[in-house]
Amino acid sequence: APVAPPSPTAAPTYSGDPVGGMRAQAEPARAQVEDTPPPGFNKYPPSLSSNVYQYYLPVDYPVETALRNWEQWTRQPVVQVETRKRLLYRPALLAQTVARFTHRPTGTSETYTYAFVVPTLPRVPMVDWGEYVSSPFDPYSLDGQPFSEAYYADLPSNLSSSSGFTDLKGNLVDWIYYNAALYVYHNPVLKVYSGIDEDQQTFITRVQALAREARDSEIDTVAARYDSKLASLEARAQKKAIRMESEREELEARKREELITGAESLMQLMKGRAYYTLSRTSRMRRYTNTSQDQLGLKERELIEIADALEATEREMEASLQAVHDKWAEAIRQIEEVKISPLKKDIDVMLFGVGWVPYWDTTINSTLVILPASSSSLTQAQDPTLYDSGGGGYY
């Protein structure tokens, strides 16, 4: 399963040691007199390629302080002790890389530092680097020379040649490439990205402002389109209303004329002019009925226009609401986009062996190595050193 990438750390301001309390105020120990190395140690440091850096953690505890620390850790008294004050070094692996992340859509880039401290050297050229993430450290805070004459622990056989460290360094670059990542935010509707260092809330606020501008512009376009439709319908309605009023006046006039004609026709009938009178009367009634039909038609047309106006207004309201909903949804569409460094943008700034100091002692007739450094690496290299049972034997 892939290892979760470390949280990127910007280039640090150095104020301490890399691995927990490295201090260099120890008093020099006297020269060793015994030539027989302890089990698992050699008198001379291993021969490594010049490409493999070697660093020495400071000796923080003289032998006397280391003994008192042992009594506190184990809750046992030191009844008999033989120190010989021989310094022992155990190897750890120190690595620090710089990765450049480039985000092409925004044309921005950022550089981050990743540091790793592996307590013990691996026996295969592969490390689960995610387990050994450390705070970035200043290489200049580490010594380039041993504290004094010392004995050195054996290195795994695979690291005895430069190729072993080269493979291990390549494994580190691969791990950074596949696991180190930054994430930016993206709104696919507006097609905008956050900056590499822009937090989510700031990006959302920016997206909301852009969405409001786009929404208002679209609302103006929709409203203008419907305003034109409504204005056309209102003009038609007004024209129909005028014509209907004219028809109504004409109908009233014809009705009045029909009444007058009817009275005249009655007089003519009484005088015996029947055919002419009936002919004129029927003609006037036909005209009146026609006017009534025209008036009814205009009224129906006006009602239809009014219905069209109402339907257009409802359609406009629905369209405007759709615009509001569209941009409200657009604001919520926030995606995370992963940014990984290219291999050519990963530089290994430090890669080498960090030697952790210990004292070779015999306590209460038992061989014990005692931490000479305050670094947390000592506990990581051998957790039994801090057991109440009094471990730390070799």
Side-chain angles (χ1 to χ4, degrees), residues 251 254-255 257-259 261-263 265-266 269 277-293:
L251 177 61
R254 289 185 180 278
K255 285 182 177 179
E257 185 178 354
E258 183 179 358
L259 289 174
T261 302
S265 298
L266 181 60
L269 282 172
T277 301
L278 290 175
S279 175
R280 186 180 179 192
T281 301
S282 62
R283 187 169 63 252
M284 292 303 300
R285 286 179 177 170
R286 185 169 64 250
Y287 289 159
T288 303
N289 290 337
T290 300
S291 297
Q292 287 178 333
D293 292 341

Side-chain angles (χ1 to χ4, degrees), residues 125-126 158 162-174 351:
M126 294 184 65
N158 69 297
S162 61
S163 62
F165 278 98
T166 300
D167 293 341
L168 197 56
K169 185 186 296 186
N171 174 245
L172 171 60
V173 172
D174 288 341
F351 195 87

Side-chain angles (χ1 to χ4, degrees), residues 3-80:
V3 179
S7 299
T9 308
T13 300
Y14 301 111
S15 59
D17 61 78
V19 288
M22 300 180 185
R23 296 187 297 275
Q25 294 87 19
E27 298 178 0
R30 68 170 180 260
Q32 310 299 328
V33 293
E34 297 85 351
D35 292 330
T36 303
F41 290 82
N42 295 296
K43 185 173 179 58
Y44 301 101
S47 178
L48 299 175
S49 168
S50 59
N51 295 326
V52 180
Y53 297 97
Q54 298 188 62
Y55 302 92
Y56 296 84
L57 274 66
V59 174
D60 298 320
Y61 304 136
V63 173
E64 295 75 14
T65 303
L67 288 169
R68 288 196 297 271
N69 291 339
W70 183 87
E71 287 182 317
Q72 293 177 358
W73 297 330
T74 64
R75 295 185 177 86
Q76 298 182 33
V78 175
V79 178
Q80 182 184 12

Side-chain angles (χ1 to χ4, degrees), residues 98-121:
V98 172
R100 180 183 177 85
F101 295 83
T102 300
H103 188 227
R104 297 189 184 280
T106 58
T108 58
S109 62
E110 195 66 57
T111 299
Y112 289 91
T113 300
Y114 296 91
F116 306 87
V117 178
V118 184
T120 56
L121 297 183

Side-chain angles (χ1 to χ4, degrees), residues 36-300:
T36 303
F41 290 82
N42 295 296
K43 185 173 179 58
Y44 301 101
S47 178
L48 299 175
S49 168
S50 59
N51 295 326
V52 180
Y53 297 97
Q54 298 188 62
Y55 302 92
Y56 296 84
L57 274 66
V59 174
D60 298 320
Y61 304 136
V63 173
E64 295 75 14
T65 303
L67 288 169
R68 288 196 297 271
N69 291 339
W70 183 87
E71 287 182 317
Q72 293 177 358
W73 297 330
T74 64
R75 295 185 177 86
Q76 298 182 33
V78 175
V79 178
Q80 182 184 12
V81 61
E82 182 181 351
T83 67
R84 297 186 295 277
K85 293 192 175 180
R86 297 197 303 183
L87 196 62
L88 311 177
Y89 279 112
R90 281 178 166 174
L93 181 62
L94 306 181
Q96 188 155 279
T97 66
V98 172
R100 180 183 177 85
F101 295 83
T102 300
H103 188 227
R104 297 189 184 280
T106 58
T108 58
S109 62
E110 195 66 57
T111 299
Y112 289 91
T113 300
Y114 296 91
F116 306 87
V117 178
V118 184
T120 56
L121 297 183
R123 299 191 177 276
V124 294
M126 294 184 65
V127 171
D128 187 356
W129 296 96
E131 296 183 5
Y132 304 108
V133 177
S134 170
S135 298
F137 49 86
D138 182 4
Y140 296 104
S141 68
L142 303 174
D143 295 329
Q145 298 296 327
F147 179 75
S148 67
E149 185 178 351
Y151 295 89
Y152 299 84
D154 297 331
L155 296 184
S157 59
N158 69 297
L159 298 180
S160 58
S161 64
S162 61
S163 62
F165 278 98
T166 300
D167 293 341
L168 197 56
K169 185 186 296 186
N171 174 245
L172 171 60
V173 172
D174 288 341
W175 191 92
I176 292 289
Y177 175 73
Y178 287 109
N179 294 276
L182 297 179
Y183 290 87
V184 296
Y185 301 104
H186 176 227
N187 184 281
V189 179
L190 292 166
K191 298 180 180 179
V192 293
Y193 290 86
S194 69
I196 288 180
D197 288 326
E198 186 175 6
D199 63 79
Q200 185 178 25
Q201 188 55 52
T202 301
F203 177 67
I204 290 175
T205 300
R206 185 156 61 90
V207 166
Q208 288 173 339
L210 293 173
R212 280 195 297 270
E213 291 179 7
R215 179 201 63 192
D216 292 347
S217 176
E218 188 171 349
I219 283 177
D220 290 342
T221 301
V222 171
R225 184 172 69 248
Y226 279 99
D227 282 346
S228 177
K229 289 183 180 181
L230 291 171
S232 176
L233 288 171
E234 287 173 352
R236 286 178 58 195
Q238 186 176 11
K239 186 182 293 185
K240 293 292 182 183
I242 292 173
R243 294 190 63 179
M244 188 176 70
E245 184 61 28
S246 176
E247 293 285 350
R248 182 177 287 109
E249 291 176 355
E250 184 178 351
L251 177 61
E252 292 298 328
R254 289 185 180 278
K255 285 182 177 179
R256 286 194 299 272
E257 185 178 354
E258 183 179 358
L259 289 174
I260 294 172
T261 302
E264 291 178 351
S265 298
L266 181 60
M267 294 297 295
Q268 295 296 333
L269 282 172
M270 292 175 65
K271 294 178 180 182
R273 300 175 62 184
Y275 175 76
Y276 171 78
T277 301
L278 290 175
S279 175
R280 186 180 179 192
T281 301
S282 62
R283 187 169 63 252
M284 292 303 300
R285 286 179 177 170
R286 185 169 64 250
Y287 289 159
T288 303
N289 290 337
T290 300
S291 297
Q292 287 178 333
D293 292 341
Q294 291 295 327
L295 182 61
L297 179 61
K298 296 296 186 298
E299 288 178 341
R300 287 193 296 272

